[in-house]
């Protein structure tokens, strides 16, 4: 099992979309994918179209001591794909953030043990530091950042990276955590605006060698499929977005890469 946290300290910069885009692509390739929805707004859970039984969400992991096997118990299969499961988020998570418990940030890591998933993706909230993101970093092998090509996205990555640097410096819990790259999403590929090109240049300077390609193009179908709680890949208009996530999945999960002949 390989666990990746998707992070930024700004909202609206594509964290949930990238989590689901990569998750759906890997599930299609045969990987057993588990998504952990750590965001109190629970966008990923809603978008994946699962029905959450009362109380059976990630809060049941982060708020209790006896968590062995909990991720496997709480996971629900998404109608998007049989290989795609999610441990649902909940608004109750916000309360845990303000009243963290002793050793609480070790629980998620423990709860993932024994889960029959090849790939785990953690969708995180845009908070500065805090209990939820610490739980995610403690449980992860690596971290991926997402950004839109603008100042907000750039700041979100900058702050998230400085938080990860502090975590690595101060916490002995996960010395092997690595930065896997920065994904640029909502890229205006039809007409790359001056603002977007300027932001790209700044992102390249800030994040030397970390920017991943291809960029995820901006497409209206992504937003409308979110409202419909379905996957954009079911629509012809969503295929450029699927193709971009496929290109990223090839690099980030080489064990599930497409054969060169089919790429
Ligand atoms: N490639 C894209 N094309 C068009 N809209 C997108 C794209 N990626 C994300 N969005 C939209 O941008 C908004 C923010 O994305 P989201 O993934 O929820 O960000 P975050 O999780 O960082 O808050 C959502 O309305 C989402 O549907
Ligand atoms: Mg989100």
């Amino acid at each position: 099992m390989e666990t990746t946290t998707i992070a930024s300290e700004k909202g609206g910069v594509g964290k949930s979309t990238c989590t689901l885009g990569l998750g759906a692509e890997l599930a299609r390739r045969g990987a057993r994918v588990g998504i952990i929805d750590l965001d109190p707004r629970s966008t990923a859970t809603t978008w994946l179209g699962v029905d959450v039984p009362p109380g059976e969400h990630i809060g049941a992991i982060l708020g209790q001591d006896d968590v062995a096997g909990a991720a496997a118990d709480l996971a629900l299969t998404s109608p998007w794909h049989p290989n795609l499961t999610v441990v649902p988020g909940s608004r109750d998570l916000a309360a845990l953030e303000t009243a963290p418990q002793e050793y609480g940030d070790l629980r998620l890591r423990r709860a993932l043990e024994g889960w029959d998933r090849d790939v785990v993706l953690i969708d995180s909230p845009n908070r500065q530091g805090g209990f939820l993101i610490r739980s995610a970093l403690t449980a992860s092998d690596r971290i991926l950042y997402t950004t839109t090509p603008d100042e907000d996205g750039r700041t979100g990555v900058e702050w998230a990276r400085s938080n990860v640097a502090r975590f690595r410096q101060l916490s002995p819990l996960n010395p092997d955590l690595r930065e896997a790259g920065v994904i640029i999403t909502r890229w205006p590929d039809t007409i790359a605006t001056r603002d977007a090109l300027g932001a790209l240049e700044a992102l390249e300077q800030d994040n030397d060698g970390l920017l991943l390609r291809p960029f995820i193009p901006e497409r209206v179908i992504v937003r409308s499929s979110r409202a419909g709680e379905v996957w954009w890949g079911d629509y012809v208009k969503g295929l450029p977005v699927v193709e971009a996530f496929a290109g990223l999945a090839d690099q980030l999960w080489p064990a599930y890469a497409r054969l060169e002949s089919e790429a």
Side-chain angles (χ1 to χ4, degrees):
M1 179 194 285
E2 184 178 58
T3 302
T4 305
T5 287
I6 289 81
S8 163
E9 289 193 7
K10 290 276 185 170
V13 294
K15 290 182 297 296
S16 299
T17 308
C18 290
T19 305
L20 300 187
L22 294 168
E25 179 60 27
L26 291 163
R28 290 205 307 164
R29 292 179 184 191
R32 295 169 302 174
V33 178
I35 288 174
I36 302 279
D37 188 356
L38 264 194
D39 189 344
R41 289 175 309 171
S42 307
T43 306
T45 301
T46 311
W47 203 340
L48 285 168
V50 292
D51 291 322
V52 186
E56 297 192 16
H57 54 72
I58 186 76
I61 288 175
L62 297 176
Q64 289 166 26
D65 272 340
D66 181 16
V67 294
D73 291 345
L74 292 165
L76 303 169
T77 302
S78 167
W80 289 22
H81 195 282
N83 285 348
L84 190 59
T85 61
V86 57
V87 175
S90 161
R91 288 176 59 161
D92 298 357
L93 283 174
L96 284 168
E97 183 89 294
T98 48
Q101 296 159 23
E102 262 185 280
Y103 299 107
D105 37 9
L106 285 168
R107 290 179 180 140
L108 181 58
R109 182 181 180 135
R110 185 103 175 92
L112 296 181
E113 283 170 15
W115 196 13
D116 64 346
R117 300 289 97 187
D118 304 307
V119 171
V120 173
L121 300 173
I122 303 178
D123 186 18
S124 68
N126 36 281
R127 302 274 168 94
Q128 292 181 36
F131 170 68
L132 296 175
I133 189 73
R134 250 185 356 260
S135 299
L137 295 180
T138 304
S140 292
D141 300 297
R142 56 187 192 168
I143 178 156
L144 264 176
Y145 306 99
T146 73
T147 180
T148 39
D150 53 31
E151 195 51 39
D152 246 19
R154 183 186 169 200
T155 311
V157 174
E158 187 189 330
W159 292 352
R161 289 192 66 196
S162 74
N163 182 52
V164 168
R166 278 181 75 203
F167 174 85
R168 290 209 294 205
Q169 194 184 2
L170 296 172
S171 170
L173 295 177
N174 190 2
D176 299 329
L177 180 71
R178 333 186 279 291
E179 291 180 310
V182 177
I183 298 175
I184 297 183
T185 186
R186 305 193 66 169
W187 179 253
D189 62 335
T190 43
I191 319 159
T193 59
R194 268 170 72 163
D195 282 359
L197 291 169
L200 175 59
E201 200 175 312
L203 280 161
E204 253 159 0
Q205 272 167 22
D206 291 354
N207 304 286
D208 191 28
L210 272 185
L211 287 201
L212 298 171
R213 284 179 171 74
F215 305 151
I216 309 299
E218 164 94 24
R219 288 293 184 278
V220 171
I221 188 70
V222 174
R223 270 201 308 277
S224 46
S225 72
R226 172 170 172 165
E229 298 175 14
V230 292
W231 180 46
W232 55 84
D234 291 335
Y235 303 90
V236 173
K237 286 182 176 168
L239 295 183
V241 180
V242 174
E243 179 54 33
F245 280 117
L248 293 176
D250 285 340
Q251 298 161 56
L252 290 164
W253 287 270
Y256 295 95
R258 292 171 292 187
L259 300 175
E260 233 161 89
S261 55
E262 52 179 321

